[in-house]
Amino acid sequence: MAAIPIPIKPAAEACAPARSLWQRQRWLILRRSSQLLILLAFLSGPWFGLWIAKGNLSSSLTLGVLPLTDPLLLLQTLATGHVPYAAALTGAAIVLVFYLLFGGRIFCSWVCPVNVVTDAAAWSRRRLGIKTGRVPDADTRYWLLGGTLVASALTGTLAWEWVNPVSLFHRALIFGMGGAVLVIGGIFLYDLLVASRGWCGHLCPVGAFYGLLGKTALVRVAAPNRKACDDCMDCFTVCPEPQVIRPALKKVGQESP
Amino acid sequence: MDTGKKTARKVTEAVSPASAARRKFINSVAAAAGGGCLLALGAGLYSKSTSALPAQALRPPGALPEADFLAACVRCGLCVRDCPYDILKLSDLGDTVATGTPYFTARKIACEMCEDIPCVKACPTGALDRELTDINQAQMGLAALVDHESCLNFLGLRCDVCYRVCPVIDKAITLETQHNPRSDRHAMLLPTVHSDHCTGCGKCEKSCVLPEAAIKVFPRALAQGALPAHYRKGWEEKARHGGSLIGEQVELPVRGFEGPTAGRSATETVLAPSAPAPAVQAPSAPAAPKTPPGINSRWKP
């Protein structure tokens, strides 16, 4: 199993205040750049007449040759009984293979635009000191994921796509629509007032799907240098899903201090 | 009070850690399932409420029937991007058209009917069917002249704009000549839509000169009636078989109508008793009021 090592800094350096912005936030900066570049690839066409990617995250055509389709959306289409053309099937297969190789929730963190909103909500929640609300069970998203497929099969339409905030937001950004503000605003308020980190980690069926897909991926984040951990808890503070840190860092049977 | 609570907790703990864990598990599963189902149900209901295409929204050429279309379309907007005239748009949340699906509104902008149909070629899922290769076979909608009271041609004027702009002129829209009962001496050229040729491009509705179009293009399901499957048209069957299939019928006289044809059998040759031959009419008094055939509009020159 290949692994990208994340160097864990020695205590003195990790807690030193003199670190540059890049050192402190390089993963966030890289993630935001990736999200922005993907958005720009779709927007350069309508804005500057330079067509790189057409369509949106649901299904797209890059440089006129590379089809990409959301595999979850394709599953829902198949659940309705419709068998799409080869373009969509190929596109979904490419995306599927990519996320089977590069795992975790890379789609959610590096591609999906919604986490900009939910991160902003979490930041505001921290700043305003809001502690209210009730976080739903993290399994809700799997029920919702199943629900989207069942709803497609029962209604014979892509039921979830009427309200799916992920595709709705991305489509709105690319095609310039205002209605998505309602749903995205709803998610912001939900994460701010009702459930801390509620949407991405507990409800979103798209995230649940990519989470399942990435579980057995070849390339995943690992902590081979976990011996050097000095329990400064910085990672717990910044991580939107801190429950994933403990098994990676402190699992029983692993070498850890 | 405190002791009561403590005893209660003790009792719960005393049950056994396994059953407490089970209870917690059942609770959380129930909450998750309930929440998930509620959200999915909400989405489903919302999708049901907007699954009927509104009257003014037309799908791109080659679109599957609406129910199938909503299963096949992944709302990617590739058809919108490949439309050279920027006619298609994606529905926004809150629009009456299913969220994210492509449509156009004829009165705003009509389909240009490109011969290579780029929107159909762009569709990755087959929501726009590639079986459609001749744009003249497209069935985006069907035009209907809905308002006979404001249509200028129905008023006896010669507007003809919808007829002139029709890309399938003289097939999809023809001008049918009819007597104008108001003037009694002019013709009305009535724009008439033929469903087997109309592609629903929307040019006629877009170009109607009235502030509110008298001719409108609707999704086919709204604009078209249907005869019961078992109906046979007598005159067609007769022509096909070279004669009546039920033999000679007794001809009954037509009664109850005032006027020159009253009381005559339908098959009887018209002798025109009230309209004498022109040779006879010419010498007779020209001032004599003559009842013209058809509806008397009481129009006097």
Side-chain angles (χ1 to χ4, degrees):
Chain A
M1 198 160 158
I4 302 174
I6 293 181
I8 294 172
K9 307 243 161 167
E13 201 182 330
C15 300
R19 289 197 304 164
S20 69
L21 180 72
W22 169 252
Q23 278 173 323
R24 277 182 286 122
Q25 303 280 12
R26 63 187 182 284
W27 291 109
L28 184 69
I29 293 168
L30 286 174
R31 282 204 303 119
R32 292 285 179 258
S33 310
S34 160
Q35 289 165 317
L36 200 66
L37 282 176
I38 287 167
L39 204 56
L40 280 178
F42 283 103
L43 281 172
S44 66
W47 283 2
F48 314 115
L50 178 72
W51 290 99
I52 298 171
K54 277 182 186 176
N56 58 34
L57 287 184
S58 301
S59 191
S60 64
L61 189 65
T62 303
L63 299 173
V65 287
L66 175 69
L68 295 174
T69 302
D70 178 5
L72 174 59
L73 200 50
L74 193 91
L75 269 183
Q76 292 176 61
T77 309
L78 292 174
T80 65
H82 176 81
V83 180
Y85 285 154
L89 293 171
T90 319
I94 293 171
V95 174
L96 204 67
V97 167
F98 180 85
Y99 287 110
L100 282 176
L101 291 177
F102 301 95
R105 284 173 60 178
I106 286 189
F107 171 82
C108 302
S109 47
W110 295 76
V111 180
C112 181
V114 175
N115 66 61
V116 179
V117 176
T118 54
D119 281 350
W123 182 84
S124 311
R125 197 178 160 92
R126 262 202 318 275
R127 273 302 167 99
L128 298 172
I130 299 171
K131 305 266 187 227
T132 55
R134 180 177 182 273
V135 182
D137 196 288
D139 282 347
T140 313
R141 57 194 169 142
Y142 297 117
W143 288 94
L144 206 51
L145 174 61
T148 61
L149 294 174
V150 171
S152 296
L154 287 183
T155 61
T157 74
L158 298 179
W160 180 247
E161 282 309 297
W162 257 276
V163 290
N164 182 1
V166 177
S167 60
L168 209 63
F169 190 33
H170 196 250
R171 198 186 302 121
L173 289 173
I174 291 171
F175 288 90
M177 296 188 278
V181 170
L182 286 175
V183 169
I184 290 305
I187 286 184
F188 180 82
L189 290 178
Y190 177 76
D191 267 22
L192 179 70
L193 302 173
V194 182
S196 168
R197 297 281 177 187
W199 172 255
C200 292
H202 301 84
L203 294 180
C204 180
V206 182
F209 175 78
Y210 282 108
L212 288 176
L213 207 60
K215 255 190 180 145
T216 54
L218 292 177
V219 183
R220 286 172 64 85
V221 173
N225 204 12
R226 59 173 70 86
K227 264 186 190 166
C229 175
D230 66 346
D231 298 326
C232 76
M233 296 300 279
D234 276 2
C235 54
F236 273 86
T237 315
V238 298
C239 183
E241 307 287 342
Q243 74 277 7
V244 306
I245 295 178
R246 191 185 302 277
L249 212 52
K250 303 284 182 188
K251 202 167 155 188
V252 182
Q254 286 174 164
E255 298 171 69
S256 56
Chain B
M1 192 182 109
D2 243 3
T3 43
K5 257 188 184 174
K6 267 180 190 166
T7 4
R9 198 181 304 145
K10 266 180 195 164
V11 169
T12 326
E13 279 164 6
V15 171
S16 86
S19 90
R22 190 173 333 134
R23 188 172 305 147
K24 194 172 167 242
F25 172 76
I26 291 170
N27 269 343
S28 69
V29 164
C37 290
L38 266 182
L39 272 171
L41 187 72
L45 282 178
Y46 177 56
S47 77
K48 270 280 165 225
S49 75
T50 54
S51 63
L53 196 61
Q56 297 295 286
L58 301 173
R59 292 294 185 200
L64 299 175
E66 188 63 11
D68 299 333
F69 183 81
L70 292 180
C73 174
V74 293
R75 289 92 155 132
C76 66
L78 282 169
C79 54
V80 175
R81 287 297 185 225
D82 278 10
C83 174
Y85 301 98
D86 278 343
I87 287 153
L88 298 173
K89 63 174 284 198
L90 291 184
S91 152
D92 196 359
L93 186 79
D95 286 355
T96 39
V97 184
T99 310
T101 55
Y103 72 101
F104 68 99
T105 310
R107 189 61 169 167
K108 284 188 190 142
I109 187 164
C111 173
E112 292 289 337
M113 286 175 64
C114 312
E115 282 187 4
D116 53 345
I117 333 182
C119 50
V120 171
K121 284 185 184 162
C123 180
T125 64
L128 306 182
D129 195 345
R130 286 183 200 161
E131 294 285 302
L132 179 76
T133 49
D134 174 10
I135 189 65
N136 288 316
Q137 302 297 317
Q139 298 198 330
M140 295 172 266
L142 180 61
L145 209 159
V146 288
D147 192 357
H148 294 185
E149 292 171 342
S150 59
C151 171
L152 297 181
N153 276 38
F154 268 79
L155 295 177
L157 307 172
R158 286 298 302 277
C159 164
D160 298 359
V161 166
C162 56
Y163 165 75
R164 299 274 169 212
V165 298
C166 179
V168 203
I169 185 169
D170 281 326
K171 286 182 186 158
I173 301 184
T174 56
L175 291 178
E176 301 295 324
T177 313
Q178 262 193 28
H179 173 70
N180 183 344
R182 182 179 57 80
S183 74
D184 214 10
R185 62 183 56 192
H186 299 99
M188 299 188 298
L189 282 85
L190 305 181
T192 308
V193 179
H194 303 278
S195 63
D196 43 352
H197 289 290
C198 177
T199 64
C201 71
K203 286 272 178 185
C204 50
E205 181 181 343
K206 170 82 180 85
S207 323
C208 181
V209 299
L210 302 177
E212 181 66 44
I215 190 166
K216 290 189 161 94
V217 183
F218 302 109
R220 285 226 161 205
L222 289 179
Q224 205 162 23
L227 283 171
H230 66 280
Y231 271 34
R232 298 287 177 273
K233 291 167 185 156
W235 53 96
E236 282 178 0
E237 298 299 313
K238 203 168 170 179
R240 193 177 303 152
H241 293 93
S244 172
L245 291 169
I246 51 171
E248 283 300 308
Q249 298 298 297
V250 179
E251 296 282 353
L252 295 172
V254 179
R255 295 201 181 87
F257 290 102
E258 309 276 322
T261 55
R264 259 189 293 118
S265 147
T267 48
E268 209 175 307
T269 42
V270 178
L271 293 170
S274 63
V280 187
Q281 190 188 15
S284 71
K290 184 173 67 97
T291 318
I295 304 159
N296 185 359
S297 64
R298 297 199 165 73
W299 183 86
K300 299 288 184 299

